[in-house]
Amino acid sequence: MTVDAGRCAGHGICEALVAEVFVLDGTGRSTVRAGSISEADRLPVEQAVACCPAQAISFSEDE
């Protein structure tokens, strides 16, 4: 999973939905926390991808 820093507008929806996975950095842009995504976080991550107004998050089922 990646967050395109050039597209991220810092809305923070992803962090609000899945704070275990996403965090806003010092510039206000979203980044992915280190580590793998748990099965419990998979559906909320997919929701965060769908809710991102800037479409800055990419996520593959293989991840």
Side-chain angles (χ1 to χ4, degrees):
M1 173 175 28
T2 60
V3 177
D4 182 338
R7 293 185 78 163
C8 178
H11 293 283
I13 296 169
C14 56
E15 183 182 40
L17 290 172
V18 202
E20 299 82 7
V21 176
F22 300 99
V23 63
L24 297 182
D25 65 14
T27 67
R29 304 286 192 246
S30 180
T31 60
V32 179
R33 293 182 187 269
S36 60
I37 300 168
S38 71
E39 279 301 314
D41 288 333
R42 188 168 288 281
L43 180 59
V45 164
E46 290 172 357
Q47 291 172 332
V49 171
C51 290
C52 179
Q55 298 180 337
I57 307 168
S58 60
F59 175 68
S60 167
E61 285 295 323
D62 299 331
E63 296 180 52

